[in-house]
Structures are given as structure tokens and as C-alpha cells.
Amino acid sequence: MSEVPGRDPEAEDGTRDSAGSDSDVERRHLPVLLDRTVRLFEPVLSARPGVVLDATLGMGGHAEALLRSFPETTVVGVDRDPEALELARRRLEPYARRVRLVHDVADRIPEILTEQGLPELDGVLFDLGVSSLQLDEAERGFSYSRDAPLDMRMDSTAGTTAADVLNTYSKGELTRILREYGEEKFASRIAARIVRERDREPFVTSARLVQLVYDSVPAASRRSGGHPAKRAFQALRIEVNGELEVLRRALPAGIDSLAGGGRIVVMSYHSLEDRIVKRTFAERAKSRTPLDLPVELPGHGPELRVLTRGAEFADEQETGANPRASSVRLRAAERIQEGV
């Protein structure tokens, strides 16, 4: 679920027709690191019935692979995008008796499990960021390559739009968003121009914003790193959907929901997400027993065993076939059973 760096992330990421048939969706939506994801869950799902929560279901590519590979596994698929849930429902119809679909946000994992009558999970999967479905639909406003309403909501039924952010946030707030979420060096310059321009006419569609950002970045800085609007659009999308705040709450909730020996797999697509994942895993993999004590205190040992050495990346063969895989970073961990 990523923006792919380079010429045009939206065009590169458009590997399937979201308005096409079910077979088109399956053929052209290529889940990232699919085989590796299945292998990571195999030790906990291959020998017995299990439950995996796919916290960012999208169009269901990873869920489909898990259901196909492990015939006794049930998948709880969560997504905030109603259209994605409908496409996933159609895709996963052959496995309907082992699928539960939930329209919700990933940080509500405890409430979701209670509603589903599930005390714990054997696996949790996160495939973060914006989906190919959302990028492909111009009217959603995620793409900077096509003029469209400035929406950017993953759940188009509720919440603040990108236009609301542009037209109501202060210069300081806009600067912070662009700098923190877009890692934009010229955040203050762009924010000042947005405020000046919106006083003349409110922002409604994306083309005007794209041109403003392009004109605000010095020519020398436009020669590398792709289109400068990519950073601004990423920042707005993260703000509109509260992506990093949701992730900071969802990761601990996902870990806490795991049974002993259960596994969590997270795929992120930019450094902001990956930094949160890395830090959360590292904190949970440390002992909380004071260093000067000779024995581990009960209940103070590590909660996780990290399964990946650093972040794992897609190989050249996969990135050649699926450009959206070029920026993926995968990390995985296993819940340590008490007393082990």
C-alpha cells in the first residue's frame, strides 16, 4: 500500500483496474512480498486451526494467500475503506466461511476482537499506506498526476478532507505537517504560499496545489527525487487519515492480542512508518528487569522475539514485475510465551 518513488507513483502503482471484474482485480493487484508473508506465518498456522487479523485488508491479496495456504485458518479482515471491503468480499468469496470482514480502523483491535468473540490471535498483518485502489480512482484525490477533488480520505464516508486542511489550518500547522509527514525542506515556503493563495480562492482540486508546490520548490531541487508534489500529497494524506497516530496505537494493540507463539508481520513504505515499527518491536523485545539483578523478574522479560534482521526488502525480480514493491520494508516478530 504504497506510493512508489520515481516518475509517477500513481501511474506506476496502477497495476490493476479497480472498476473491472473480479478476475481483473486478482490479475492486476499484485500483493507485495506475498510468498515471504506466507512463510512467516507458516509455523503458527500450518499445523492447527488459527486466526489471523489482517488489519489493512485492502483488496484481500495477502488474505487470499493465507486462506489458500492454510485450510484451517480464519481471517478477520479490517479496512476503513468500504469499497476495498466490497472488492475483498468478492475476491474471498470461495473462502467465505473462514472470512470475517469488518469496516473499522486498525487501532480498534481490542474492540474488534471483543465484537468478534475472539480472545486472542495467532497472527496479525499490517500492509500500510495508501492502496492501489485508492490511487487509481481519480475522484478520491490521492493522485497528483490527475486533477481531482482534494479528498484523500481512506474512508470516504467520514472525516476531514485534504481541502479542509488546506483551507483552514494555520501556516504553522501546515508547515509542521509538510515538514514532519512529507519531510519537505521547503515546508515553510509552501505553507506561506498556500495561505496566501487560499485567501484569493479556496483550494478545491489537486491541479492548483500541484502547480503551487512545483513553483515553490527551487529548480535545482526539482531535478531529483521525483515530482515535488509527491511529498506534499503524502503529508496531506497522512494528516487527513491520522495514519501515524493510528499506527502508534495499532501496533501495541496487535502485539497484545497475540497468543504465545503468535506472529506479527508489518510492511511499511516510507521511513516514518518503518521507524515506528522498528522502535515498537525493539521496545517489546527488551527485558524490563533492572540490569543489576542477576535473574529475570517474573512478568518483566521480553515480550517479542524479532524474526527479521533489520528490515527486509523485495528482490529485483519482484520490483521488476511490481514497481510498488520497490519501497517496501518488512519486519516481523513472534510473541514469546510466558515462562519460555
Side-chain angles (χ1 to χ4, degrees), residues 21-231:
S21 66
D22 293 354
S23 61
D24 287 337
V25 171
E26 293 176 18
R27 175 174 56 84
R28 301 184 65 190
H29 170 57
L30 302 176
V32 172
L33 291 175
L34 188 63
D35 292 341
R36 178 58 173 151
T37 300
V38 171
R39 290 199 305 274
L40 282 165
F41 282 118
E42 185 173 13
V44 72
L45 297 179
S46 61
R48 58 182 175 82
V51 180
V52 174
L53 186 138
D54 187 337
T56 51
L57 182 65
M59 285 179 284
H62 289 96
E64 180 184 42
L66 294 173
L67 290 161
R68 182 175 59 244
S69 301
F70 308 114
E72 294 185 279
T73 291
T74 295
V75 170
V76 179
V78 179
D79 206 286
R80 61 168 75 179
D81 187 335
E83 186 174 353
L85 282 172
E86 175 56 25
L87 287 171
R89 184 193 63 76
R90 286 157 42 189
R91 181 177 194 157
L92 303 178
E93 185 63 31
Y95 310 97
R97 66 180 183 83
R98 294 190 284 127
V99 175
R100 307 183 192 182
L101 300 183
V102 180
H103 180 213
D104 214 324
V105 185
D107 61 349
R108 293 192 69 255
I109 289 175
E111 292 82 0
I112 292 168
L113 296 189
T114 297
E115 292 163 4
Q116 296 294 321
L118 297 169
E120 57 189 11
L121 297 166
D122 300 286
V124 176
L125 174 65
F126 289 89
D127 186 13
L128 301 171
V130 66
S131 72
S132 301
L133 165 68
Q134 291 154 347
L135 282 173
D136 279 354
E137 295 190 337
E139 66 271 16
R140 304 289 291 273
F142 288 98
S143 169
Y144 58 79
S145 64
R146 291 158 287 184
D147 193 21
L150 282 163
D151 192 318
M152 297 194 192
R153 292 173 298 172
M154 291 179 178
D155 182 349
S156 58
T157 67
T160 299
T161 68
D164 295 330
V165 172
L166 291 169
N167 292 322
T168 64
Y169 279 30
S170 69
K171 176 182 177 293
E173 290 172 316
L174 291 170
T175 299
R176 177 188 61 80
I177 291 165
L178 292 167
R179 182 176 292 138
E180 292 183 8
Y181 299 160
E183 299 178 290
E184 174 57 69
K185 292 189 297 183
F186 304 101
S188 181
R189 180 186 301 189
I190 294 169
R193 191 159 182 174
I194 288 170
V195 171
R196 187 167 64 249
E197 286 295 310
R198 78 188 185 194
D199 288 343
R200 182 173 62 85
E201 181 183 353
F203 284 90
V204 177
T205 60
S206 57
R208 183 172 167 225
L209 176 63
V210 170
Q211 190 63 53
L212 180 150
V213 173
Y214 187 85
D215 293 341
S216 300
V217 174
S221 298
R222 296 198 299 256
R223 297 192 184 108
S224 62
H227 198 294
K230 177 190 174 185
R231 298 186 292 273

